[in-house]
Amino acid sequence: MWNTQDWHAVQAHARRCRARSIEDIVMAEPGRAQAFSRRIGPLYFNFARQHIDAEAMADLQRRLEDSGIRGQARAMFDGHRINASEDRAVLHTALRSNLGTTPEAHQAHRDAMAALDQLEGVVGRLRTKGITDVISVGIGGSDLGPRLVLNALSEYAQGGFNVHFLSSADGMYLDRYTAALDPSKTAVLLVSKSFNTQETLINGAVLKNWLDDPSRVFAITANRDRALAFNVRHDNILPIWDWVGGRFSVWSAVAFSVVLGLGMPAFREFLGGAADMDAHFLQAPVEDNAVMWQALLSVWNRNALDYNTQAIIPYDERLEMLPSHLQQVLMESLGKSVTVDGEDCTQATSPVLMGASGNPSQHSFFQYLQQGIGIVPIDFIGVVKSGHCQPANHHFILANLLAQAQSLANGQGSADPQKRYPGNRPSSVILLDELTPRALGMLLALYEHSVFVQSKIWGINAFDQWGVELGKQIATSLMPYVEGREKADDALDPVTRELLARMLTP
Ligand code: F6P
């Protein structure tokens, strides 16, 4: 965790950097466009349009190194119980790489590899049963990552199954799926680490009845007993472990839907990309480490420049789901206001993360990004080689990405205040050579590790999520009132009571 001295230094750098515009800093530092860029395999990063000078960046990197980040990363990869409030190891890295040095970490990796083999066996069983469609039921980390990967990589689809996702407890999708699909050719995957998530159990119960064949109901869970109690057959249960956080679980059997849609070779490539990023994070010097650049710039934007929102804007429709996935990875991990030791944080932590695919967004919220009062640092993500056969369209998309990053940073003066572009709005650009499974794996792992580094700078636990519990508890206690089984009385919160009355007698 960074100390008072570190934060004073950050503020001193901020005063100096604020005195100059981004454009001035870029012009004043010869070769900055290259010096602030890095290439890691198929990923190229350009950080030149962040509002920070080379002196500040070098000092942040030195401070990060001195703060013990290497040992902290090692502790994670080795399976130490760094998720203190839940007393758990954090070993999602073992799902894709074997870079731990302890018996626990190696065992976790062996278990993960064995689960992949088990998964392949189940795919074979589904194929021989003539299954055509699969509904993957899960929410949060048991939904967003797999949904993103399958959407992004649909060109690689070799798995042979049609995959449908069901997340919300809103019954609309249940109606749609049960109307459109043939139950005799459908399998249901109940994806829930805890097997205690009400949305998944409510949807799962309906689908289980609709299928009327337990041989086609599967559970992906760390809680075998609860799955068995739900009448899932024991050989239809695929494991995950308490050392995999939900939002970090896309590398596990949680992504069974991805395996069914894309096939195992593509999924293994995806894991390979994340393994490349694991190695890069652990081994690259801090000044060449894309994860550390990314994390430091996020902290800089949050704490030095006081920007409370960040955006992820992919200029590729296949990555449309990326902002939603990263919202959970970032905000569920870093949306904390006390440190690991239970002290109040001295610095602001997670920004609000927003985002959507770039080209359509230019025609909706980019007005705010260009001329709004609040400044929103952006990660633009582009793909150099398109996944389609329309070169003119692709050139247009790339030109727009370039134009937005440039105009946000440099702005444009005008005698008419309405037409003035203030500029000085920071962004990074990440270019993927091509949207392959490997490149996507690298990209997602980069953000995961960046979140880890940010949490260490702030001294918070990135791996728990106690903030989601209270709402769940109150919802459970209100169910009897909403169902009309109990009458609201004075014990209920007065506003909830009034709203309840409107719901029951519209
Ligand atoms: O309520 C939040 C959360 O616990 C997330 O952290 C998690 O990804 C999601 O719910 C789903 O949890 P589970 O996989 O246990 O159903």
Side-chain angles (χ1 to χ4, degrees):
M1 180 177 167
W2 283 18
N3 58 33
T4 317
Q5 258 183 350
D6 293 320
W7 294 118
H8 281 157
V10 167
Q11 290 308 330
H13 290 306
R15 281 192 291 278
R16 187 183 65 253
C17 292
R18 275 210 190 98
R20 287 192 299 172
S21 68
I22 295 174
E23 194 178 13
D24 287 347
I25 293 175
V26 171
M27 292 304 175
E29 294 183 356
R32 174 170 165 116
Q34 293 74 34
F36 267 52
S37 72
R38 295 291 179 273
R39 172 171 278 282
I40 323 293
L43 267 50
Y44 165 85
F45 299 84
N46 194 301
F47 304 111
R49 288 207 185 98
Q50 290 290 342
H51 198 169
I52 184 169
D53 62 18
E55 181 188 338
M57 195 65 213
D59 187 46
L60 295 190
Q61 288 169 338
R62 189 183 55 73
R63 285 175 189 281
L64 183 57
E65 189 82 85
D66 292 350
S67 71
I69 193 67
R70 301 278 175 195
Q72 289 162 337
R74 179 42 62 210
M76 176 171 73
F77 277 77
D78 281 353
H80 296 184
R81 294 181 168 263
I82 62 168
N83 177 356
S85 74
E86 296 180 317
D87 191 25
R88 286 178 183 165
V90 175
L91 271 171
H92 52 275
T93 49
L95 298 167
R96 64 232 186 170
S97 58
N98 194 12
L99 296 167
T101 57
T102 57
E104 293 83 358
H106 292 311
Q107 186 57 47
H109 183 68
R110 275 194 295 276
D111 290 348
M113 294 303 108
L116 286 188
D117 293 340
Q118 193 185 344
L119 220 65
E120 262 178 323
V122 178
V123 175
R125 266 162 60 198
L126 290 177
R127 232 184 274 290
T128 48
K129 272 176 169 288
I131 300 297
T132 55
D133 290 78
V134 176
I135 307 176
S136 182
V137 187
I139 200 161
S142 294
D143 171 69
L144 291 166
R147 207 189 271 254
L148 154 68
V149 175
L150 205 51
N151 267 353
L153 300 175
S154 59
E155 294 150 76
Y156 293 85
Q158 299 274 332
F161 297 90
N162 305 314
V163 177
H164 316 271
F165 289 96
L166 180 54
S167 166
S168 169
D170 184 327
M172 182 266 286
Y173 283 108
L174 274 178
D175 280 2
R176 283 194 190 168
Y177 288 155
T178 53
L181 300 175
D182 175 352
S184 69
K185 293 191 170 151
T186 303
V188 169
L189 316 179
L190 304 175
V191 188
S192 177
K193 177 181 167 183
S194 60
F195 223 82
N196 198 26
T197 300
Q198 293 308 303
E199 290 84 346
T200 302
L201 298 182
I202 290 169
N203 284 330
V206 175
L207 290 175
K208 196 170 63 163
N209 284 340
W210 174 71
L211 278 192
D212 198 21
D213 178 356
S215 76
R216 282 179 284 116
V217 177
F218 294 83
I220 293 97
T221 186
N223 198 328
R224 222 182 151 74
D225 291 345
R226 284 216 188 104
L228 289 169
F230 200 77
N231 290 332
V232 180
R233 291 182 175 179
H234 96 107
D235 56 347
N236 279 10
I237 301 176
L238 295 158
I240 52 168
W241 305 269
D242 73 353
W243 42 260
V244 189
R247 53 197 174 273
F248 303 95
S249 65
V250 67
W251 322 100
S252 71
V254 161
F256 192 15
S257 52
V258 174
V259 174
L260 291 166
L262 302 185
M264 191 54 101
F267 188 65
R268 286 191 192 273
E269 272 291 299
F270 171 67
L271 299 183
D276 290 348
M277 189 52 76
D278 290 342
H280 171 75
F281 172 48
L282 275 185
Q283 292 154 11
V286 65
E287 65 277 11
D288 288 327
N289 200 306
V291 171
M292 305 218 193
W293 275 83
Q294 181 74 18
L296 284 170
L297 289 168
S298 294
V299 169
W300 173 260
N301 282 324
R302 187 71 187 100
N303 300 126
L305 303 179
D306 208 18
Y307 300 145
N308 62 14
T309 307
Q310 288 182 16
I312 305 273
I313 310 280
Y315 267 76
D316 191 304
E317 295 306 311
R318 295 170 295 177
L319 292 172
E320 190 187 12
M321 283 290 302
L322 182 66
S324 307
H325 170 67
L326 292 182
Q327 259 174 349
Q328 190 195 3
V329 172
L330 190 104
M331 292 168 78
E332 205 175 60
S333 303
L334 301 177
K336 316 279 163 70
S337 44
V338 292
T339 66
V340 177
D341 298 327
E343 304 292 332
D344 287 346
C345 291
T346 59
Q347 303 294 316
T349 58
S350 182
V352 174
L353 187 77
M354 58 166 288
S357 74
N359 189 215
S361 303
Q362 286 174 216
H363 301 270
S364 65
F365 60 78
F366 269 47
Q367 164 64 37
Y368 178 95
L369 299 181
Q370 290 280 2
Q371 289 186 318
I373 294 281
I375 291 186
V376 181
I378 300 171
D379 283 358
F380 286 109
I381 298 172
V383 180
V384 176
K385 185 165 180 274
S386 82
H388 54 72
C389 312
Q390 309 296 336
N393 291 56
H394 189 54
H395 296 151
F396 179 86
I397 292 287
L398 293 179
N400 274 271
L401 185 163
L402 292 171
Q404 292 300 332
Q406 181 181 315
S407 56
L408 283 160
N410 300 350
Q412 184 170 277
S414 168
D416 179 351
Q418 309 295 337
K419 296 183 180 162
R420 196 175 298 148
Y421 293 82
N424 225 12
R425 289 159 192 245
S427 64
S428 299
V429 176
I430 304 177
L431 296 177
L432 281 60
D433 289 346
E434 212 176 327
L435 185 50
T436 59
R438 185 162 282 267
L440 184 62
M442 288 185 78
L443 184 69
L444 300 192
L446 168 99
Y447 279 104
E448 288 182 353
H449 289 319
S450 167
V451 159
F452 169 78
V453 174
Q454 292 175 63
S455 76
K456 292 299 174 188
I457 292 174
W458 287 322
I460 57 180
N461 182 356
F463 301 108
D464 59 11
Q465 57 284 318
W466 295 106
V468 301
E469 294 304 324
L470 179 61
K472 292 182 193 176
Q473 285 162 19
I474 297 180
T476 305
S477 72
L478 289 175
M479 278 297 278
Y481 299 100
V482 178
E483 289 170 344
R485 285 189 283 118
E486 263 183 54
K487 274 215 161 330
D489 56 24
D490 287 349
L492 275 189
D493 173 276
V495 180
T496 300
R497 198 172 158 194
E498 162 66 12
L499 293 170
L500 196 56
R502 298 300 126 215
M503 287 174 181
L504 295 178
T505 50

